[in-house]
Amino acid sequence: MTTNASEEQVVLMTEELRKSYGPVQALRGVDLEVRRGEIFGFLGPNGAGKTTTIRCLLDLIRPDGGTIRVLGIDPQADPVAVQARSGYLPGELRLYDNLTARRQLRFLSDMRGGNADWDFARELVQQLDLAMDRPIKNLSKGNNQKIGVVQALMHRPELLLLDEPTAGLDPLMQREVLGLIEQARADGATVFFSSHVMSEVQTIADRVAMIRQGEIVEVADTRSLIDRAMREVTVTFKEAVSPEALAKVPGVTLLSRNDGGMRVILQVKGDMEALIGALDGMPVRELETSKPSLEEVFLRYYEEPG
Amino acid sequence: MWTTLRYTLASLRGQIIGWGLGVAALGLILIPFYDIFQAEQGDLMEMVENYPPELLAFFGGDAATLATTEGYLGMYAFSMLPVIVGIFAVIEGSGLLASDEESGRLDLIVAHPVSRAALLWGRTLAFVAASLAIMVLGWLGFVVLLGGSSLDIGWGQMALPFLPLLAQTLIYGALALLLSMLLPARRLAAAVAGGVMAASYFLSSMASLNDSLAAVARFLPYDYYQGGEALGGLDWIPFLVLLAAGTVLLLLAWWRFDRRDIRVAGEGGWRLPDLRLRRTETAREA
């Protein structure tokens, strides 16, 4: 595994992480590196291995092989030290139905030795508009999720491990939670969060890893991942031209030709420099580029056969 | 560990009150009834003498022992209490960790900075404290009316049979906890532990009538239960044997819990195979 960041800058590292459930190989050698202070998106469809990876990081499940270091600690050797410095939001959050949100948060704070910052917790509760004194059994799934977010953040952990943090929230609250994650990073936390909602990852993640069938298929800066993906370019000419010259440009594929050769649609892989060079001298009226979203990038990865 | 103990004990409040008052109610009925029993002893003894010996064996005695204080309380209370309070032990023991695990709550709890050992021992100590509290409440029910009865037993003496009862409760709780760590479902663990408890009661009771059963019963907890006889003096050896066996079961449960994956809700459940569906599939294949 290539290590770009210095050791103290690496908050979370896995190397050749493997885990099987009976005959099912959930993780097949996962390599990850998350740097201090970044928001790292962990993308993948359901069943790809996101939750299994996160649960290995907290020693909730034991890997079959590989190395894990969280905050420089081996979670299997000293899980309590990792857990004390982390905040965790499970993908399948379950709480005590008969408790109110207030008592549930008090219980979880007590499980941390009572180290919650209650002023901050109250701020979070206010921001998320969470009903504190109703029994959890009477709360919606979204409100349950809000409790999960508050409990993960309320002790101001150095590392946040969030499994699908916006699941079950309405769009307004999703934005609020993403804001809280960015705020946590601004306050010095490192965030590792899984999602299959591309838009939220695209909005806040500095880097992303994509996991497919227990293997990491890509790790990159979010921006560069989008930039280097294929994009669709529509060129409208003042007069009919022969597009063959354009199709010969490396990375360019001719998709269609309309209006008697006045308009061509091209697919461009990588940067646009070569295409722009080829268009130089041509009677270009209009050039339209559609930028791919992370979702399109994601789908391309997962549509390819494994 | 103390936080876990405190919260678990708080969650067991209802169980302590319910089971404790249930045992106490038995005492509140039996102690005043003793004088009526004494008055009618002749008729009752005649009736008991006509009972089949197999039936009397289940109540821990014969007609002669029934005439004694130990025999009376043993037959009507302490012979059955391990099974009655054992239900509490099996349900709570199997659910100490597996209940939260099956509902998916344990995932978040274990992600907090509490070691698995602290979690297991905190909850186990709460279970021990709850069992002890049930015994104390039960004992109060047995002693509060002692002064008004002709039973020649002191308050301290009445506490003695509750000690073997406590040991029985603890060993079935420990067994249920261990099974919940080994088996894929809490209900299955409770069923197996309950089965062992029932088998232990039946086999050990019948062992007084059948020597070959006695050999098997030696390996079962009820065989080490003193019951009402403890009123005449506690036999510490079987009591300590049971506590030692319970400790071994708890250590095994800890060993297993410390090494296993924590399941999320719905994961690794267990159910009987759907034979009806299988038959349909077989018929279709044919």
Side-chain angles (χ1 to χ4, degrees):
Chain A
M1 185 176 158
T2 317
T3 305
N4 297 321
S6 63
E7 249 180 46
E8 63 271 20
Q9 286 304 306
V10 177
V11 168
L12 189 161
M13 183 277 286
T14 70
E15 220 172 66
E16 276 299 305
L17 189 62
R18 293 187 308 282
K19 175 71 183 173
S20 296
Y21 297 105
V24 180
Q25 276 189 288
L27 302 179
R28 305 162 185 241
V30 168
D31 291 343
L32 282 172
E33 193 180 90
V34 178
R35 299 164 199 158
R36 188 170 296 282
E38 74 177 344
I39 299 179
F40 193 96
F42 195 34
L43 281 169
N46 293 333
K50 304 187 297 291
T51 298
T52 301
T53 305
I54 291 178
R55 298 184 79 231
C56 282
L57 298 175
L58 283 164
D59 192 46
L60 300 172
I61 53 175
R62 307 277 160 71
D64 302 329
T67 308
I68 308 175
R69 290 289 177 276
V70 181
L71 299 157
I73 304 159
D74 175 359
Q76 283 186 73
D78 193 354
V80 172
V82 171
Q83 290 153 357
R85 294 165 65 186
S86 311
Y88 170 55
L89 174 64
E92 293 272 338
L93 178 71
R94 300 294 164 93
L95 304 165
Y96 287 103
D97 284 347
N98 292 325
L99 296 185
T100 59
R102 189 183 303 280
R103 290 197 60 200
Q104 177 73 60
L105 291 173
R106 175 71 63 186
F107 163 67
L108 293 172
S109 169
D110 286 348
M111 294 297 281
R112 291 191 171 278
N115 71 347
D117 178 344
W118 285 106
D119 289 335
F120 179 51
R122 271 188 284 276
E123 271 175 44
L124 295 171
V125 165
Q126 220 160 18
Q127 259 177 285
L128 294 173
D129 193 22
L130 172 62
M132 288 288 272
D133 293 310
R134 277 166 55 194
I136 286 166
K137 65 183 166 203
N138 295 340
L139 297 180
S140 64
K141 186 177 186 303
N143 274 303
N144 268 255
Q145 189 71 359
K146 290 178 193 175
I147 298 172
V149 171
V150 174
Q151 66 80 28
L153 293 167
M154 68 182 180
H155 56 289
R156 296 184 181 276
E158 283 176 66
L159 172 65
L160 279 165
L161 298 166
L162 310 173
D163 194 357
E164 311 257 359
T166 58
L169 297 174
D170 61 49
L172 217 62
M173 277 302 141
Q174 283 181 12
R175 210 166 58 187
E176 204 68 51
V177 167
L178 295 181
L180 290 173
I181 292 172
E182 285 188 309
Q183 186 56 49
R185 189 259 295 271
D187 292 343
T190 304
V191 183
F192 180 82
F193 80 105
S194 77
S195 180
H196 58 254
V197 182
M198 303 307 124
S199 56
E200 67 184 31
V201 179
Q202 192 170 343
T203 308
I204 64 166
D206 302 309
R207 290 197 303 141
V208 293
M210 291 191 181
I211 185 166
R212 180 176 64 180
Q213 291 170 6
E215 283 176 304
I216 301 292
V217 290
E218 180 69 68
V219 181
D221 290 346
T222 314
R223 194 66 259 159
S224 75
L225 193 66
I226 296 168
D227 285 349
R228 73 180 139 97
M230 290 199 211
R231 68 191 75 208
E232 214 168 82
V233 177
T234 305
V235 189
T236 310
F237 298 99
K238 291 175 188 163
E239 57 199 56
V241 297
S242 168
E244 276 70 33
L246 297 177
K248 284 178 189 162
V249 176
V252 175
T253 312
L254 178 65
L255 291 181
S256 68
R257 184 182 181 198
N258 304 321
D259 301 338
M262 299 273 282
R263 194 155 70 103
V264 293
I265 300 174
L266 307 161
Q267 192 180 58
V268 182
K269 189 175 184 181
D271 61 42
M272 296 275 289
E273 204 177 343
L275 177 65
I276 289 167
L279 287 169
D280 189 27
M282 286 185 160
V284 176
R285 180 191 296 278
E286 199 178 331
L287 183 70
E288 201 180 310
T289 307
S290 65
K291 285 185 178 175
S293 67
L294 189 56
E295 184 152 4
E296 286 166 282
V297 176
F298 176 81
L299 287 173
R300 274 177 206 141
Y301 272 107
Y302 293 101
E303 278 165 1
E304 285 168 17
Chain B
M1 185 170 84
W2 302 114
T3 306
T4 304
L5 189 154
R6 186 162 54 88
Y7 274 98
T8 310
L9 201 51
S11 74
L12 288 170
R13 272 176 314 196
Q15 304 287 336
I16 294 169
I17 294 168
W19 288 97
L21 290 184
V23 178
L26 186 65
L28 290 171
I29 294 165
L30 283 179
I31 300 300
F33 183 74
Y34 181 71
D35 290 336
I36 301 167
F37 177 81
Q38 284 291 82
E40 306 290 332
Q41 197 176 14
D43 294 341
L44 283 166
M45 291 304 287
E46 198 179 323
M47 187 175 79
V48 168
E49 274 165 8
N50 290 324
Y51 284 173
E54 291 83 359
L55 183 64
L56 275 173
F58 278 115
F59 297 109
D62 50 35
T65 55
L66 187 58
T68 64
T69 305
E70 290 91 342
Y72 169 75
L73 287 175
M75 180 167 188
Y76 290 109
F78 292 107
S79 64
M80 291 173 292
L81 275 176
V83 179
I84 295 168
V85 184
I87 295 169
F88 155 79
V90 163
I91 292 171
E92 292 308 322
S94 64
L96 268 183
L97 292 161
S99 176
D100 274 344
E101 186 172 28
E102 287 185 2
S103 65
R105 292 187 292 258
L106 199 62
D107 189 52
L108 182 59
I109 294 169
V110 175
H112 281 68
V114 176
S115 69
R116 292 190 190 196
L119 192 66
L120 183 137
W121 291 112
R123 290 190 174 196
T124 301
L125 281 179
F127 170 76
V128 173
S131 303
L132 194 60
I134 290 169
M135 298 303 139
V136 170
L137 279 176
W139 168 76
L140 281 173
F142 275 76
V143 296
V144 76
L145 298 177
L146 263 184
S149 84
S150 59
L151 277 165
D152 186 23
I153 303 173
W155 283 38
Q157 194 184 357
M158 185 57 98
L160 294 177
F162 283 93
L163 289 173
L165 181 61
L166 176 67
Q168 292 284 314
T169 310
L170 296 183
I171 195 149
Y172 289 122
L175 176 66
L177 174 62
L178 172 62
L179 289 171
S180 74
M181 292 295 100
L182 297 171
L183 298 173
R186 180 225 172 146
R187 274 188 295 183
L188 181 61
V192 174
V196 171
M197 182 175 73
S200 176
Y201 175 65
F202 280 101
L203 290 174
S204 299
S205 301
M206 298 299 284
S208 59
L209 305 173
N210 185 323
D211 285 346
S212 55
L213 284 180
V216 180
R218 275 179 46 221
F219 298 99
L220 296 168
Y222 196 81
D223 207 51
Y224 296 84
Y225 179 58
Q226 209 182 349
E229 288 171 22
L231 286 165
L234 182 68
D235 187 352
W236 285 96
I237 299 217
F239 175 71
L240 293 174
V241 165
L242 280 182
L243 288 189
T247 306
V248 170
L249 295 177
L250 288 174
L251 287 170
L252 287 170
W254 172 34
W255 177 81
R256 178 71 188 132
F257 181 56
D258 206 42
R259 280 157 183 78
R260 69 200 279 272
D261 290 349
I262 303 294
R263 287 175 289 168
V264 291
E267 187 191 341
W270 184 88
R271 60 181 179 182
L272 286 166
D274 192 339
L275 297 175
R276 197 177 47 185
L277 184 70
R278 193 168 288 175
R279 270 204 302 273
T280 315
E281 281 170 0
T282 315
R284 204 173 290 155
E285 279 165 19

